[in-house]
Amino acid sequence: MKKIVTLLFLLICGTLSSQTVSVIGIPTLHQLPVNAIHVAFKDSEGYIWYGTVNGLCRDDGYDIKVFRSDIHTPELLKDNLVGCIAESLTGNIWFGTDKGAYVLNKSTYTIKPLDEMRIGEKRIAAIYTTNNGDMWISCFGVLYRYDSNGV
């Protein structure tokens, strides 16, 4: 029996092949507000969005635009630590911080807090988009569902 199991194991292992993984650097990394990226997300237009401890960043391959609360925009976000990013079917970028969720309109690049009555300053664990356009937001212990417009 041991010989049969060993033979099967060798046959299975012999059919497996290794994969080549390529790792390339981010050419615009020096433009980020910090060198640590918590989450990366590619939207429907091909932009790469990064969540960092110092804001949401949009990378177009040449330049990085940073959205955060700072001396120029002190009330933009209640917290700059962005831990999750998703895109609604309407093309808006939804992102979660340690103190609430926000929606960025890609046409105007305006940011609005999402549902301050229910979510408020809760830490956002995850944001997901479903095929039917529903947006699901997970705060630790609570799950919220919204349509693409945030209702």
Side-chain angles (χ1 to χ4, degrees):
M1 184 65 159
K2 287 183 182 180
K3 290 182 182 182
I4 294 173
V5 171
T6 305
L7 180 63
L8 286 174
F9 179 75
L10 291 174
L11 288 173
I12 291 171
C13 289
T15 61
L16 298 177
S17 62
S18 64
Q19 297 178 353
T20 303
V21 177
S22 298
V23 178
I24 58 170
I26 300 170
T28 52
L29 185 65
H30 66 281
Q31 295 178 30
L32 287 172
V34 293
N35 287 338
I37 297 171
H38 286 270
V39 63
F41 177 81
K42 183 177 178 183
D43 72 12
S44 60
E45 297 177 75
Y47 293 114
I48 304 296
W49 296 83
Y50 304 116
T52 72
V53 294
N54 205 0
L56 178 71
C57 306
R58 189 210 70 187
D59 188 349
D60 64 8
Y62 300 100
D63 295 305
I64 290 183
K65 182 166 180 55
V66 180
F67 303 91
R68 65 179 173 200
S69 288
D70 59 14
I71 195 167
H72 303 291
T73 55
E75 301 297 319
L76 186 63
L77 307 174
K78 291 180 184 168
D79 185 63
N80 284 330
L81 195 155
V82 176
C84 52
I85 306 169
E87 182 178 17
S88 68
L89 291 183
T90 58
N92 292 328
I93 298 296
W94 292 43
F95 61 99
T97 70
D98 275 359
K99 292 187 179 178
Y102 297 86
V103 178
L104 180 140
N105 182 319
K106 288 195 301 186
S107 301
T108 62
Y109 288 107
T110 56
I111 295 176
K112 295 186 324 185
L114 180 70
D115 197 356
E116 291 182 288
M117 294 298 292
R118 289 196 303 173
I119 293 179
E121 293 188 10
K122 293 179 183 169
R123 182 174 180 214
I124 308 301
I127 301 177
Y128 292 102
T129 308
T130 61
N131 291 338
N132 68 352
D134 287 341
M135 301 295 295
W136 290 88
I137 296 181
S138 170
C139 301
F140 292 93
V142 182
L143 187 62
Y144 298 102
R145 181 177 61 98
Y146 296 91
D147 65 14
S148 290
N149 298 315
V151 180

